[in-house]
Amino acid sequence: TTVDRKVRRMKLISPTGVEVDIGDTLQPNEYIGMCRREIMDKFLRDRAIAFGAVPITGLVTGIDVPEDHKTSDNQYTIHYQAYEEGKSAGTPKDMNVDLIIGADGANSRVAKAMDAGEYNFAIAFQERIKISEEKMQFYEEMAEMYVGDDVSPDFYGWVFPKYDHVGVGTGTVVNRPAIKQYQKAIRDRAGDKIAGGKIIKVEAHPIPEHYRPRRVQGRMALVGDAAGYVTKCSGEGIYFAAKSGRMAAEAIVKLMEGGKRLPNQEEIERAYLAPYDKLYGPTYTVLDILQKVFYSSNGAREAFVELCNSKYVQQVTFDSYLYKRVQGNNPLDDLKLLGDTIGCLIKGYSIAKPDAVFSNPVESQKRL
């Protein structure tokens, strides 16, 4: 199976150590699936091959884009190094294609070739830590989320259960050079629960902070991280990568009418981008606002944790995460939540310690 663990409980820990348990609102068949990318990616790759995709083990080194690709049917040329099993050196090869869907991550070569524009990004850092079976029992169906400027000045730290280990990590946009300092802090905050564990793998990845300025150019389209489809607050991107990939592919296949014609940029934008933005645009917007409000200072983080004591907040939060749409349509509860939010923010700022001051004026301007 591609799902290692089914998380049904979450513990949220504030900067001062206040803990809130979340999960009572979940239905018996609801859970957050935890997986390892190497397992899930192989599953998706094998399934694509079973449906007729032709895999090529290679590294793209360049893409030639015709100057008139927005108005003509001239093909694109992909240059790549092809690799064979048992050989370390690749063989230079070319491929001419009618369309390109760039699903090649935050450092997308397709995005650069099509002049998609830049975006700001976070660095996510994670250590996979093997802990004892006894300690692992605590994380059977439990994930932990730590907030505080010690673990991240603008995000959160986490302990997520995996197959036979936990993933312990954090992320930041505004102070990327200090990521290892924040990683040490999340290990310290987890404390005895991961004590004695062995680090079996270290992972670090750039995470886009917003959409690329241009996601379709001519007959080139971006999906997933390459397009910037990662939500604020949660930092989730896997679902949106898979969903956008499917939506783009289905839209383009339909436009091609069985291979009789090639779609143009306007048609791809109308058939792929417009439906995607209609479905998920509000989700990105709301989560962006929430991150700016509640991850910006220790006072706001204390308020966020206290608010999560509310069963209504838990219901809305989990439903929004599980079903990828902004939930909450009870006007009275929403009005009460507004009042509670103001009260919790006032209280949070009164008890929280000031955030540490940092400065990185040069590196913070870097974009992908």
Side-chain angles (χ1 to χ4, degrees):
T1 177
T2 57
V3 177
D4 288 336
R5 299 274 177 173
K6 297 180 179 180
V7 168
R8 293 184 170 92
R9 308 288 303 179
M10 181 172 287
K11 193 177 290 288
L12 183 58
I13 302 101
S14 82
T16 58
V18 175
E19 297 185 359
V20 171
D21 289 315
I22 302 173
D24 290 340
T25 62
L26 284 181
Q27 299 300 312
N29 64 331
E30 292 180 326
Y31 61 87
I32 297 173
M34 294 288 164
C35 64
R36 289 164 291 165
R37 285 297 303 271
E38 63 270 24
I39 302 298
M40 192 187 75
D41 289 0
K42 183 180 185 303
F43 167 79
L44 293 174
R45 189 165 53 247
D46 290 347
R47 189 172 68 169
I49 293 169
F51 280 110
V54 179
I56 297 174
T57 302
L59 174 66
V60 173
T61 56
I63 302 172
D64 294 339
V65 180
E67 289 186 9
D68 60 350
H69 75 119
K70 294 183 180 181
T71 57
S72 75
D73 288 349
N74 290 334
Q75 291 187 309
Y76 303 98
T77 301
I78 299 175
H79 304 282
Y80 64 98
Q81 293 284 327
Y83 293 92
E84 297 179 19
E85 190 172 351
K87 294 184 179 180
S88 58
T91 303
K93 291 190 176 182
D94 299 329
M95 178 189 298
N96 293 323
V97 297
D98 292 321
L99 300 107
I100 298 176
I101 296 180
D104 50 341
N107 290 303
S108 171
R109 290 183 184 271
V110 177
K112 289 179 174 62
M114 64 185 265
D115 188 29
E118 298 179 328
Y119 51 34
N120 199 5
F121 66 99
I123 286 294
F125 192 98
Q126 177 175 270
E127 294 167 326
R128 297 193 197 182
I129 300 179
K130 185 74 177 290
I131 57 178
S132 68
E133 291 185 12
E134 181 182 3
K135 291 180 184 294
M136 199 68 203
Q137 289 176 6
F138 174 78
Y139 293 106
E140 181 69 28
E141 294 185 337
M142 171 75 76
E144 291 184 307
M145 176 177 167
Y146 294 80
V147 290
D149 72 318
D150 57 335
V151 297
S152 175
D154 56 338
F155 201 53
Y156 63 89
W158 64 83
V159 182
F160 292 156
K162 300 292 184 178
Y163 176 64
D164 60 354
H165 58 277
V166 290
V168 181
T170 184
T172 180
V173 177
V174 298
N175 198 20
R176 294 184 292 254
I179 189 66
K180 290 189 177 180
Q181 167 192 324
Y182 299 135
Q183 180 63 18
K184 181 182 182 302
I186 181 61
R187 287 199 308 267
D188 292 344
R189 289 276 295 272
D192 291 341
K193 285 174 284 189
I194 63 169
K198 178 183 178 182
I199 298 175
I200 57 176
K201 190 172 185 179
V202 177
E203 301 161 308
H205 301 284
I207 306 294
E209 278 294 287
H210 52 80
Y211 288 2
R212 293 267 188 197
R214 295 170 290 280
R215 291 170 284 160
V216 176
Q217 292 277 69
R219 299 183 313 281
M220 305 173 76
L222 300 175
V223 299
D225 283 16
Y229 295 154
V230 175
T231 56
K232 297 290 188 71
C233 259
S234 67
E236 186 192 2
I238 290 178
Y239 172 85
F240 298 101
K243 185 67 173 182
S244 62
R246 169 172 283 184
M247 290 180 70
E250 289 178 345
I252 290 172
V253 167
K254 185 176 181 179
L255 289 169
M256 291 179 71
E257 298 175 3
K260 296 177 183 177
R261 61 183 298 272
L262 292 177
N264 59 39
Q265 178 174 329
E266 183 181 354
E267 290 173 326
I268 297 173
E269 288 175 338
R270 187 171 60 247
Y272 156 47
L273 289 189
Y276 185 87
D277 290 346
K278 183 178 180 180
L279 270 175
Y280 302 114
T283 300
Y284 288 105
T285 300
V286 169
L287 292 178
D288 186 20
I289 294 170
L290 289 177
Q291 179 163 321
K292 285 183 171 67
V293 172
F294 290 114
Y295 288 179
S296 58
S297 69
N298 282 330
R301 295 176 192 112
E302 291 287 351
F304 173 59
V305 173
E306 182 171 352
L307 280 171
C308 286
N309 264 315
S310 161
K311 289 294 184 283
Y312 179 64
V313 171
Q314 292 186 24
Q315 180 79 55
V316 170
T317 300
F318 258 116
D319 283 357
S320 298
Y321 187 84
L322 288 171
Y323 302 109
K324 316 306 175 189
R325 308 281 186 86
V326 177
Q327 306 291 320
N329 54 4
N330 186 321
L332 288 178
D333 283 339
D334 288 342
L335 187 62
K336 181 177 181 297
L337 178 58
L338 176 61
D340 290 343
T341 300
I342 295 171
C344 288
L345 284 169
I346 293 172
K347 179 181 176 182
Y349 277 103
S350 70
I351 64 174
K353 66 181 180 65
D355 286 59
V357 177
F358 60 85
S359 176
N360 57 346
V362 176
E363 198 280 339
S364 63
Q365 298 304 309
K366 184 177 179 182
R367 299 292 184 269
L368 293 179

